[in-house]
């Protein structure tokens, strides 16, 4: 960091990022121990030869020079010979650590660092030409408090999404008898993931990641548009069950022949759709406002993840294992292997997620949860002012212990981590262990944990469509498949199940028991099944 203050007093000092090599000379970790020296604007010179030195040298100053074509060693050797106490080199290109060899490092005793051209202009605009600067290198804390916020959001999203999906699945199985002929369906249909879909999905992910790496400035706006549409849909899906339960706003659109509107949706649902779309548009317009736009992005992201967790289902543990293992290899390859394949030596995954440093648009991909750093380290100004967690790390596995291991690896290695490297083993191992403990691994692997056609109660009367006579009362109950029990379904609170009462065949006809809904059998007292 370079701390800048005006020599004439006035406004408070400000920190700017510099990139330095500690092998030239070490900088103090504490600003209070750093010397506050005069900054000499010598940017009209590249300081590559002795004639570039001022007549009186740089006595107890820190010169600011242009980059030029000579080596860092030639510049810093001239600056040190001229009495400078440090050297700042202005660069319009991507900042790189100023390097040299061991002999040059031993010869030089003053620090040398690179400052971006944009920051140089801001210094002179904010403080004028008469400024003093102090160079220091603060330590970076291992963990930031924002990790707690990300952990709560991620684990909470996975838990709530899993509960929502499971409760909806149970409710649908218990209400097969109810036809939804209303103007709007209460629930969206779920999509079961197949092995073919997994292969197509992974190929698309790889292709999109590579395309973003090479054509980031063109494709980033496509991703932003997709995020606005998908997140507004997810927000609508999350809020619509709450709005439908409100006692007000139940009026519907009049009869018409317009597409979709001919179903006469409720006015309140239309207003909700407009509100969700407006929220995503507001984020799209102000997405680069770092002070508060991240809150909208996280809210829309959580809603999108909940919608996907509710809609996309992995019907078998076999499909789940295939998907996780393939994505495990995908994540590790693009984080740890691609640095050896790129010219810059940077990971394709991290480069795309954080935005390439040479991007002309300086846009960031929105498909992440982001929380700003909460510690007081000035390094938050330099690199990664936000902690990020990709949506894929939320939608694919589940979860908490693996995320804690990810944070530990991030703190120890101080570099971007492929979260699936830790999440996938934790998910698969714990799932297998729990299934083995419950003796349900076979059902879990094949997805046969639910009874598709649960038999009716033996004392229920035959329906009108069933010509078969009712069995005798002493007929034994059919036993459920191993590991499964008959579904027990309470009547839905909105509409109690109808009671079928057959017409009397005579004055002394005995009363009949009510018919249970199809697929929902009262629990017999003589059967105790293992929960599936």
């Amino acid at each position: 960091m370079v701390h800048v203050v005006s020599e004439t007093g006035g406004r408070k000092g400000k920190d700017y990022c510099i990139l330095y090599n500690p092998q030239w000379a070490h900088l103090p970790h504490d600003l209070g121990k750093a010397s506050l020296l005069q900054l000499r604007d010598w940017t009209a010179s590249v300081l590559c030869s002795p004639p570039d030195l001022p007549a009186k040298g740089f006595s107890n100053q820190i010169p600011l020079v242009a980059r030029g074509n000579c080596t860092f060693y030639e510049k810093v050797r001239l600056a040190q010979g001229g009495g400078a106490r440090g050297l700042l080199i202005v660069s319009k290109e991507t900042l790189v650590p100023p390097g040299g060899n061991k002999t040059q490092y031993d010869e030089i005793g003053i620090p040398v660092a690179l400052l971006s051209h944009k920051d140089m202009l801001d210094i002179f605009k904010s403080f004028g030409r008469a400024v003093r600067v102090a160079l220091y290198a603060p330590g970076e804390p291992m963990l930031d408090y924002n990790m707690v916020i990300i952990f709560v959001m991620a684990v909470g999203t996975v838990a709530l999404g899993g509960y929502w999906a499971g409760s909806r699945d149970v409710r649908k199985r218990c209400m097969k008898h109810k036809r939804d002929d209303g103007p709007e369906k209460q629930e969206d249909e779920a999509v079961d993931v197949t092995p073919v879909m997994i292969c197509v999905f992974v190929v698309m992910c790889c292709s999109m990641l590579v395309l973003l790496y090479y054509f980031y400035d063109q494709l980033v706006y496509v991703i932003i548009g997709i995020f606005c549409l998908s997140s507004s849909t997810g927000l609508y899906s999350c809020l619509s069950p709450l709005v439908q339960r409100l006692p007000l706003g139940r009026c519907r659109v009049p009869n018409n022949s317009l597409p979709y509107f001919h179903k006469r949706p409720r006015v309140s649902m239309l207003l909700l759709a407009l509100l969700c779309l407006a929220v995503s548009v507001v984020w799209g317009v102000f997405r680069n406002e770092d002070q508060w736009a991240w809150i909208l992005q996280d809210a829309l992201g959580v809603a999108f993840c909940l919608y996907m967790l509710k809609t996309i289902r992995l019907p078998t543990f076999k499909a789940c294992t295939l998907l996780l293992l393939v994505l495990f290899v995908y994540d590790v390859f693009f984080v740890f292997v691609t640095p050896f394949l790129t010219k810059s030596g940077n990971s394709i995954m991290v480069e795309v997620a954080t935005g390439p440093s040479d991007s002309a648009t300086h846009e960031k991909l929105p498909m992440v949860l982001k929380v700003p750093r909460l510690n007081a380290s000035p390094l938050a100004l330099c690199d990664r002012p936000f902690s990020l967690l990709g949506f894929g790390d939320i939608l694919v596995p589940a979860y908490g212990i693996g995320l804690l291991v990810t944070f530990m690896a991030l703190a120890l290695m101080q570099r971007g981590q492929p979260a699936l490297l830790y999440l996938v083993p934790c998910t698969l191992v714990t799932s297998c262990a729990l299934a083995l403990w419950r003796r349900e691994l076979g059902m879990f692997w094949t997805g046969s944990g639910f009874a598709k056609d649960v038999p009716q109660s033996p004392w229920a009367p035959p329906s009108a469509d069933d010509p078969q006579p009712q069995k005798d009362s002493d007929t034994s109950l059919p036993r459920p498949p191993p590991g499964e029990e008959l579904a027990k379904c309470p009547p839905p609170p909105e509409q109690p199940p109808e009671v079928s009462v057959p017409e009397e065949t005579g004055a002394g006809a005995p009363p009949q028991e009510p018919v249970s809904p199809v697929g929902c059998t009262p629990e017999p007292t003589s059967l105790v099944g293992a929960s599936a």
Side-chain angles (χ1 to χ4, degrees), residues 222-263:
V222 177
I223 303 298
I224 290 174
I226 293 174
F227 175 75
C228 288
L229 292 176
S230 58
S231 62
S232 59
T233 302
L235 187 61
Y236 176 85
S237 175
C238 292
L239 296 180
S240 58
L242 302 177
V243 174
Q244 288 174 357
R245 286 167 172 77
L246 294 178
L248 302 177
R250 295 186 176 274
C251 55
R252 297 183 177 273
V253 173
N255 290 325
N256 60 86
S257 58
L258 297 175
Y260 176 74
F261 288 93
H262 72 278
K263 298 181 179 180

Side-chain angles (χ1 to χ4, degrees), residues 280-512:
S280 65
V281 170
V282 169
W283 173 85
V285 173
F286 299 100
R287 62 186 179 276
N288 293 320
E289 294 289 337
D290 287 343
Q291 297 295 328
W292 57 270
W294 65 271
I295 300 177
L296 274 184
Q297 178 172 326
D298 288 352
L300 291 170
V302 168
F304 168 75
C305 291
L306 285 174
Y307 173 71
M308 295 300 293
L309 288 170
K310 180 193 71 170
T311 305
I312 305 298
R313 300 192 314 172
L314 290 166
T316 68
F317 189 55
K318 177 171 59 177
C320 179
T321 302
L322 174 63
L323 176 63
L324 289 180
L325 290 179
V326 172
L327 289 180
F328 175 88
V329 176
Y330 157 84
D331 214 21
V332 172
F333 174 80
F334 279 103
V335 173
F336 287 149
V337 179
T338 53
F340 300 101
L341 305 178
T342 59
K343 294 181 179 180
S344 62
N346 296 327
S347 159
I348 289 181
M349 182 75 76
V350 175
E351 191 86 357
V352 170
T354 59
S357 56
D358 58 349
S359 171
T361 62
H362 300 290
E363 294 283 358
K364 306 294 184 184
L365 288 180
M367 311 302 287
V368 293
L369 296 182
K370 55 188 294 187
V371 179
R373 288 175 179 252
L374 300 179
N375 58 33
S377 173
L379 289 176
L381 299 173
C382 297
D383 185 28
R384 300 188 305 274
F386 291 88
S387 293
L388 309 177
L389 183 68
F391 289 169
D393 300 326
I394 298 175
L395 296 175
V396 177
Y399 198 69
I401 296 176
L403 196 59
L404 287 177
V405 176
T406 305
F407 289 165
M408 292 174 59
L410 182 64
L412 293 175
M413 300 184 188
Q414 290 296 310
R415 56 176 296 185
Q417 294 294 313
L420 295 183
L421 173 63
Y422 313 100
L423 293 172
V424 167
C426 289
T427 299
L428 294 181
V429 171
T430 53
S431 299
C432 283
L434 186 60
L436 284 171
W437 182 66
R438 292 180 174 179
R439 299 180 180 179
E440 298 172 354
L441 184 58
M443 291 184 298
F444 195 33
W445 182 257
T446 59
S448 58
F450 285 103
K452 298 185 180 300
D453 296 311
V454 180
Q456 287 186 334
S457 170
W459 54 81
S463 62
D465 299 330
D466 187 5
Q468 297 295 330
Q470 186 176 356
K471 294 183 180 181
D472 296 334
S473 59
D474 58 350
T475 304
S476 61
L477 282 170
R479 296 186 62 83
E484 298 181 4
E485 65 178 354
L486 301 179
K488 297 173 287 183
C489 306
E494 299 83 7
Q495 179 179 352
E498 298 179 359
V499 178
S500 174
V501 180
E503 297 180 358
E504 295 182 356
T505 56
Q512 300 290 330

